[in-house]
């Protein structure tokens, strides 16, 4: 690995998130000049991205590789330790990239929230990647770092501070920000391809299928507002809960298979939290809006119309919106006796763009700079999660990068 030309190749660098990831990496002092590159299918646009980096971009490599050009993608993966992929929808453009990484034993991170696609990666690549120690880690953006890493940190602190297994974690989200066209395109493709229905399985990403109806019902996605006595607030479904919960449950199942379990019959769920005034009314309104949008995009004609009206791939929120955005995730861990331990993850900046860029770039850097400290040691590989592939190392890096992570109060 140390003989490879690059530490990180940023694939999809010409997209909305990709351009901002390039800026982030260019400002990173952990990367030596000339040790990272940008990649994509359009040489002219890649040159523009590098030019926009100014003096910091002069030593940045440029690799041209289309999403279906297996030979070019293999050559790209062979040159780097880590591929950081921001080119979605991943179900359309990501398979050949991951195939190349597994074949050339390059580690991989991305920002997908497409759980049905991740299920396909598990089926195709987990056994080989695990055997060869290649870390393929999807979902390293706002989907699903706060949920997955937060749960990992809370569960471990419950075990440490309360000296008991952690049997449940709940996460409560509040956020403000904008949507970019790539995120919307990925969501539309879930319905175009039929993946939305596949994603309804609450244990979709678990190593082994869970068929017990009682467990499926107990872990069903929230469907209605409710008052949560643990935090004393009205809560409702969280828009990304059907993504994040699957990732967290995969982490819990993988850790249990390695004798590192959170606790017996571990449960995880997440919600949107609403503050007064009119907290109940807000919960009802948002829940209704989410149901309405889901029903609308389930039909082809309304979906086609929405594609024309909403931001297109490559576009996104204004700089002002991204600067003013924020998110706050409160977490509560439980023992079997009902004792609790709380935590908080918070970030100033648009969740789907500013936070996502920070999360995925720091994930890639952790694989390069802190590889010797990663959970599971050098031999751990497979289709992993932020918690199982990066763990405390990512938490440390994010704290140093300005993300508030407070656990154990």
């Amino acid at each position: 690995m140390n003989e490879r030309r690059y530490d990180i190749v940023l694939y999809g660098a010409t997209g909305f998130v990709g351009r901002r990831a390039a800026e982030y990496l260019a400002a990173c002092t952990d990367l030596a000049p000339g040790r990272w590159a940008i990649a994509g299918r359009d040489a002219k646009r890649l040159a523009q991205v590098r030019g926009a980096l100014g003096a910091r971009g002069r030593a940045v490599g440029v690799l041209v590789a289309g999403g279906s050009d297996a030979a070019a993608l293999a050559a790209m993966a062979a040159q780097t330790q880590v591929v950081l992929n921001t080119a979605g929808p991943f179900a359309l453009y990501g398979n050949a990239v991951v195939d190349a990484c597994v074949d050339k034993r390059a580690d991989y991170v991305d920002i997908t929230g497409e759980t049905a696609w991740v299920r396909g990666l598990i089926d195709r690549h987990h056994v080989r990647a695990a055997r060869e120690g290649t870390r393929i880690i999807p979902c390293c953006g706002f989907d699903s770092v706060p949920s997955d890493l937060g749960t990992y940190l809370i569960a471990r602190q419950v075990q440490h501070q309360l000296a008991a297994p952690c049997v449940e974690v709940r996460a409560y989200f509040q956020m403000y920000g904008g949507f970019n066209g790539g995120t919307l395109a990925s969501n539309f493709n879930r319905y175009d391809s039929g993946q939305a229905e596949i994603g309804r399985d609450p244990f979709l990403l678990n190593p082994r299928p869970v068929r017990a109806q009682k467990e499926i019902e107990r872990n069903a996605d929230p469907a209605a507002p409710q008052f949560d006595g643990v935090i004393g607030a009205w809560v409702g479904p969280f828009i990304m809960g059907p993504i994040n919960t699957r990732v967290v449950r995969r982490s819990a199942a993988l850790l249990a298979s390695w004798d590192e379990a959170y606790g017996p019959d571990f449960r995880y769920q997440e919600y949107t939290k609403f503050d007064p005034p009119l907290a109940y009314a807000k919960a009802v309104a948002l829940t209704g809006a989410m149901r309405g949008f889901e029903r609308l995009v389930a039909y082809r004609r309304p979906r086609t119309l929405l594609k024309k009206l909403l931001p297109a791939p490559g576009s996104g929120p204004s700089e002002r919106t991204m600067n003013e955005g924020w998110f706050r995730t409160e977490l509560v861990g439980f023992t079997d006796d009902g004792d609790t331990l709380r935590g908080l993850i918070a970030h100033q900046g648009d969740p789907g763009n500013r936070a996502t860029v920070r999360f995925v770039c720091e994930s890639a850097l952790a694989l390069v700079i802190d590889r010797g400290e990663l959970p599971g040691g050098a031999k751990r590989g497979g289709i992993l999660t932020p918690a199982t592939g990066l763990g405390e190392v990512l938490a440390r890096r994010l704290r140093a990068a300005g993300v508030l992570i407070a656990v154990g109060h």
Side-chain angles (χ1 to χ4, degrees), residues 1-246:
M1 278 291 215
N2 292 333
E3 297 175 359
R4 300 196 182 197
R5 181 175 181 180
Y6 300 115
D7 293 325
I8 296 173
V9 169
L10 169 59
Y11 188 76
T14 61
F16 188 81
V17 174
R19 295 193 300 272
R20 283 145 188 86
E23 294 170 358
Y24 192 97
L25 293 176
C28 176
T29 57
D30 283 343
L31 282 176
R35 290 295 301 171
W36 69 284
I38 56 176
R41 63 183 179 182
D42 190 319
K44 182 177 180 180
R45 292 179 64 196
L46 288 168
Q48 291 171 347
V49 171
R50 184 170 71 170
L53 299 176
R56 298 173 299 171
R58 291 173 187 163
V60 175
V62 175
L63 303 175
V64 179
S68 60
D69 188 339
L73 291 171
M76 175 189 78
Q79 295 183 66
T80 186
Q81 294 190 56
V82 178
V83 171
L84 190 171
N85 187 7
T86 63
F90 292 85
L92 294 178
Y93 308 120
N95 281 329
V97 179
V98 178
D99 292 349
C101 288
V102 173
D103 189 52
K104 299 302 179 182
R105 300 178 69 171
D107 291 339
Y108 170 94
V109 296
D110 70 29
I111 58 172
T112 191
E114 300 162 57
T115 52
W117 177 69
V118 176
R119 179 69 253 177
L121 297 185
I122 295 167
D123 295 339
R124 293 202 321 278
H125 292 308
H126 179 71
V127 171
R128 178 181 175 184
R131 182 177 66 245
E132 296 179 349
T134 306
R135 296 183 190 234
I136 306 296
I137 314 178
C139 307
C140 288
F142 186 55
D143 299 335
S144 298
V145 166
S147 304
D148 193 42
L149 185 61
T151 297
Y152 176 85
L153 297 173
I154 282 285
R156 293 299 184 232
Q157 281 302 306
V158 165
Q159 293 169 336
H160 176 70
Q161 292 190 24
L162 304 182
C166 181
V167 299
E168 181 180 4
V169 170
R170 300 179 196 173
Y172 306 88
F173 281 81
Q174 295 174 294
M175 66 179 186
Y176 168 76
F179 288 101
N180 64 52
T183 299
L184 292 169
S186 294
N187 192 43
F188 290 140
N189 185 65
R190 288 173 56 242
Y191 288 91
D192 290 338
S193 63
Q195 293 185 23
E197 186 61 33
I198 297 171
R200 297 186 193 283
D201 179 358
F203 296 102
L204 176 65
L205 302 184
N206 277 44
R208 296 181 181 85
V210 175
R211 296 189 174 93
Q213 191 60 32
K214 182 179 179 181
E215 282 301 297
I216 292 172
E217 292 174 356
R218 190 172 70 156
N219 290 276
D221 299 322
Q226 59 184 287
F227 187 80
D228 191 306
V230 173
I231 60 168
W234 280 96
V235 301
F238 181 50
I239 190 170
M240 292 184 297
I243 299 167
N244 298 332
T245 53
R246 281 60 167 166

Side-chain angles (χ1 to χ4, degrees), residues 281-369:
K282 294 174 186 174
V284 170
L286 184 60
T287 301
M290 287 172 57
R291 286 179 182 170
F293 183 79
E294 184 174 0
R295 289 172 181 170
L296 195 64
V297 298
Y299 295 95
R300 185 169 299 277
R301 286 187 178 180
R303 195 161 64 241
T304 300
L305 178 61
L306 286 171
K307 289 178 183 178
K308 296 177 180 179
L309 296 175
L310 294 174
S315 63
S318 67
E319 289 294 316
R320 178 177 179 179
T321 296
M322 289 192 290
N323 289 337
E324 293 178 350
W326 55 273
F327 81 83
R328 178 183 174 90
T329 307
E330 299 175 55
L331 301 118
V332 183
F334 298 79
T335 70
D336 210 16
D337 293 331
D339 290 337
T340 61
L341 185 141
R342 298 181 181 241
L344 173 67
I345 299 180
H347 180 271
Q348 180 62 45
D350 179 75
N353 295 284
R354 292 278 193 262
T356 283
V357 166
R358 178 162 281 124
F359 292 159
V360 74
C361 288
E362 292 297 338
S363 296
L365 290 164
L367 289 169
V368 173
I369 308 299

